[in-house]
Amino acid sequence: MEFVSPEGLRLDGRRPMEMRQIRAEIGAVSSADGSAVFEMGNTKVIAAVYGPREVQNRGQQLNDQALVRCEYSMANFSVGDRARRPKGDRRSIEISLVIRQTMEACILTHLMPRSQIDIFVQVLQADGGTRSACINAATLALADAGIPMRDLVTSCSAGYLNSTPLLDLNYVEDSAGGPDVTVGILPKLDKVTLLQMDAKLPKETFEDVMELAIQGCKAVAQYIREVSPQNFIFLASVSQLSV
Ligand code: UDP
């Protein structure tokens, strides 16, 4: 199948290095300590953060840092007519773990010992790249909850189809069977905190695709900084001195 036309356009009209339109809305769940909706094209997710609060299961309490928990799920209606795997399937468990580890890398957990932070992310509309959208939503929700962070963390995916690196794959591109790389970065600290790839790629191609995904993460970071209220503090410069 042709994913890039001779004119250099993708099926949805984008250029290979073009991201889908992104949009964020902060404070969508009033009962949560922090929340955000994040959209990347037709992919739409919501994140709600509770905490820092008392650890519910005392046996899991950590004396030197906060316990971070994360649950990823897909709403029944999120995939339209397509099949959705049952709640709590292997994919959801894996994505929950990946998002938890990614967010843990940016939260200053040692400042909140013996507490618990719960991050719930739910996919409302799935069109590829849901784990990236969830990470971007979780960053905003954590900041909205006033949770101290080293830096914001942003994520984007990129793939390789018809010998062309493509930024921010939608569902049709994602399910074409080509390589798909999901990256998460701490933009100010210039660190990669997440890298997932589900196929093999030659080294040079991998570097091109990875670089493209990093550029996508940086564009998301720029957008998040623009929409974040002044009182959202992402501590990159301070933490470099003190952490
Ligand atoms: N998807 C689906 N049903 C499912 C799981 C996924 O239709 O039960 C679709 C959904 O659009 C998702 C895409 O497949 O975005 C790619 O899923 P993948 O596991 O690669 O994760 P993602 O790209 O969403 O992070």
Side-chain angles (χ1 to χ4, degrees), residues 90-109:
R90 261 182 62 181
R91 174 178 173 274
S92 303
I93 293 169
E94 179 224 304
I95 297 181
S96 301
L97 179 72
V98 164
I99 298 176
R100 180 177 68 74
Q101 288 172 339
T102 306
M103 303 324 293
E104 223 173 12
C106 78
I107 299 172
L108 296 170
T109 51

Side-chain angles (χ1 to χ4, degrees), residues 14 18-22 40-43 127-128 168-170:
R14 280 183 290 157
E18 202 177 321
M19 265 179 81
R20 292 176 290 180
Q21 185 151 26
I22 49 181
M40 301 176 85
N42 291 325
T43 288
D127 186 26
D168 186 25
L169 303 184
N170 62 25

Side-chain angles (χ1 to χ4, degrees), residues 74 79 82-85 91 126-131 171 174:
M74 294 179 82
V79 289
R82 289 197 310 273
R84 187 186 67 90
R85 279 162 249 185
R91 174 178 173 274
D127 186 26
T130 62
R131 75 195 73 199
Y171 171 73
D174 192 314

Side-chain angles (χ1 to χ4, degrees), residues 24-37 46-47 137 140-141 144-145 229 232:
E25 183 189 328
I26 299 158
V29 183
S30 58
S31 61
D33 293 308
S35 60
V37 167
I46 187 162
L140 276 167
D144 185 37
F232 278 17

Side-chain angles (χ1 to χ4, degrees), residues 115-151:
S115 71
Q116 171 176 326
I117 297 166
D118 289 300
I119 305 167
F120 296 95
V121 281
Q122 183 160 47
V123 180
L124 302 176
Q125 215 169 258
D127 186 26
T130 62
R131 75 195 73 199
S132 288
C134 286
I135 289 170
N136 299 329
T139 291
L140 276 167
L142 285 165
D144 185 37
I147 308 268
M149 289 188 273
R150 280 188 174 79
D151 190 356

Side-chain angles (χ1 to χ4, degrees), residues 9 16 18 61 75 98 125 140 152 154 168 177-178 188 190 206 236 241:
L9 294 177
E18 202 177 321
Q61 182 169 296
V98 164
Q125 215 169 258
L140 276 167
L152 68 152
T154 57
D168 186 25
K188 276 198 202 157
D190 205 17
F206 166 73
L241 301 173

Side-chain angles (χ1 to χ4, degrees), residues 159-178:
Y160 191 73
L161 291 170
N162 300 150
S163 310
T164 315
L166 301 178
L167 183 60
D168 186 25
L169 303 184
N170 62 25
Y171 171 73
V172 177
E173 294 167 334
D174 192 314
S175 51

